[in-house]
């Protein structure tokens, strides 16, 4: 099992939005409903990417401010361009060394990021550092090991039938900690007690097979990165295999489940 992959490409905002951002915005809404944070809170969105969670916070949580942090210059440029709101600022930076002063936010949240961070306890410690005592530290990751990210799980299972090497690129294999037990274990490693873990779910609906397939050809993210690394003929074989599995014309409806963790900062 290997956490980092050469196919983890995060840079082109529009491609990411089409592949993942539109679903991460839906799950962000579920997350906010669950968190129910009072108005006028100061938020940090760690690993903000193109700003899916930041946008959702601005639209639905009435924040005083949101600072989004991500190492991808391309994503930060996209977020700055798309989110023109005086309450929002964006910084290039890493979850393991967050460029935000101590005790300056009420909520530090991180959406679908922790699995890509090499030192996860350190990232959680950084989120605690920037959050005031009594504030909230929370994060969520897709349920890769449980097959809860249906469209990605379907992609990798089909890819593995054609290319055994694809199996070790599957996020289910790379990120086994993305389960309730794994997340609780991670929190214990980070010396945190009393966390709450919750499943968040939305439907991912594709009107037909082409709508399902197209985002995999855009290159942003592990599965699209792998897809575009294939030769044209191998990519076509994979496309056909998936089409056989899912059907060509009918609507494709799959579940996207994330495990969310929340704790009060001490
Ligand atoms: C699946 S995307 C999630 C983006 C966004 N939070 C959302 O909900 O759509 C993963 C993000 O993690 C970011 N990332 C990867 N390694 C990181 C690190 N060490 N620190 C902070 N962010 C990181 C990537 O640049 C990318 O934007």
């Amino acid at each position: 099992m290997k956490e980092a992959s050469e196919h983890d490409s995060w840079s082109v905002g529009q491609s990411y939005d089409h592949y993942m951002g539109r679903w991460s915005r839906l799950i962000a809404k579920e997350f906010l409903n669950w968190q129910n944070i009072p108005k006028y809170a100061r938020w940090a969105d760690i690993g903000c990417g193109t700003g899916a969670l930041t946008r959702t916070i601005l639209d639905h949580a009435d924040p005083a401010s949101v600072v989004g942090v991500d190492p991808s210059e391309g994503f930060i440029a996209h977020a700055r361009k798309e989110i023109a709101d005086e309450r929002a600022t964006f910084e290039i930076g890493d979850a393991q060394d967050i460029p935000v002063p101590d005790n300056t936010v009420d909520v530090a949240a991180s959406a679908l990021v922790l699995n890509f961070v090499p030192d996860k306890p350190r990232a959680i410690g950084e989120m605690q550092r920037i959050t005031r005592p009594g504030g909230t530290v929370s994060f969520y990751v897709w349920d890769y090991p449980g097959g809860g990210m249906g469209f990605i799980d379907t992609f990798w299972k089909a890819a593995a039938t054609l290319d055994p090497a694809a199996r070790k690129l599957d996020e289910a294999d790379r990120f086994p900690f993305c389960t309730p037990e794994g997340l609780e274990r991670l929190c214990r490693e980070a010396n945190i007690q009393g966390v709450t873990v919750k499943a968040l779910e939305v439907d991912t609906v594709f009107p037909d097979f082409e709508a399902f397939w197209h985002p995999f050809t855009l290159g942003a993210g592990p599965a699209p990165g792998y897809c575009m690394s294939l030769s044209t003929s191998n990519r076509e074989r994979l496309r056909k295999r998936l089409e056989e599995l899912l059907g060509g014309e009918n609507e494709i409806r799959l579940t996207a489940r994330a495990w969310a963790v929340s704790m009060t900062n001490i």
Side-chain angles (χ1 to χ4, degrees), residues 46-48 68-72 76 90-99:
I46 306 304
C48 63
V69 175
D70 199 282
S72 163
I76 289 291
F90 295 97
E91 304 284 344
I92 294 169
D94 195 293
Q96 299 157 118
D97 191 11
I98 302 174

Side-chain angles (χ1 to χ4, degrees), residues 22-233:
R22 56 190 167 142
W23 311 122
S24 68
R25 269 191 292 279
L26 294 184
I27 211 90
K29 184 79 195 310
E30 297 297 308
F31 170 70
L32 289 191
N33 288 343
W34 173 53
Q35 290 280 283
N36 198 20
I37 300 289
K39 288 176 175 188
Y40 313 128
R42 299 160 299 166
W43 289 74
D45 175 4
I46 306 304
C48 63
T50 56
L53 177 60
T54 297
R55 177 79 272 164
T56 312
I57 294 165
L58 291 166
D59 290 348
H60 299 284
D62 224 338
S65 59
V66 190
V67 54
V69 175
D70 199 282
S72 163
E73 290 183 25
F75 280 3
I76 289 291
H78 183 91
R80 283 189 178 131
K81 181 161 159 277
E82 295 297 316
I83 304 182
D85 185 310
E86 61 190 15
R87 297 169 296 173
T89 51
F90 295 97
E91 304 284 344
I92 294 169
D94 195 293
Q96 299 157 118
D97 191 11
I98 302 174
V100 172
D102 297 4
N103 298 334
T104 51
V105 301
D106 301 301
V107 190
S110 182
L112 311 171
V113 173
L114 222 59
N115 46 298
F116 298 108
V117 177
D119 189 341
K120 299 173 210 347
R122 179 169 166 169
I124 296 172
E126 276 291 277
M127 290 171 73
Q128 292 180 296
R129 176 186 64 74
I130 67 170
T131 306
R132 67 162 170 84
T136 301
V137 172
S138 52
F139 57 87
Y140 51 98
V141 290
W142 290 125
D143 171 22
Y144 295 113
M149 193 36 169
F151 71 90
I152 296 181
D153 191 57
T154 308
F155 174 92
W156 285 124
K157 290 215 162 81
T161 64
L162 300 170
D163 172 13
R167 198 159 294 132
K168 64 180 188 315
L169 301 173
D170 183 342
E171 285 104 325
D173 196 56
R174 291 171 55 200
F175 307 133
F177 83 101
C178 296
T179 61
E181 302 73 32
L183 291 165
E184 279 163 7
R185 201 173 315 120
L186 169 63
C187 290
R188 281 198 299 277
E189 272 169 45
N191 283 322
I192 295 160
Q193 323 285 333
V195 301
T196 310
V197 181
K198 163 138 176 85
L200 306 173
E201 274 187 19
V202 294
D203 279 347
T204 53
V205 184
F206 305 90
D208 56 23
F209 179 75
E210 272 318 307
F212 171 90
W213 173 250
H214 178 65
F216 289 107
T217 66
L218 298 176
Y226 166 78
C227 188
M228 294 317 288
S229 75
L230 295 173
S231 66
T232 309
S233 56

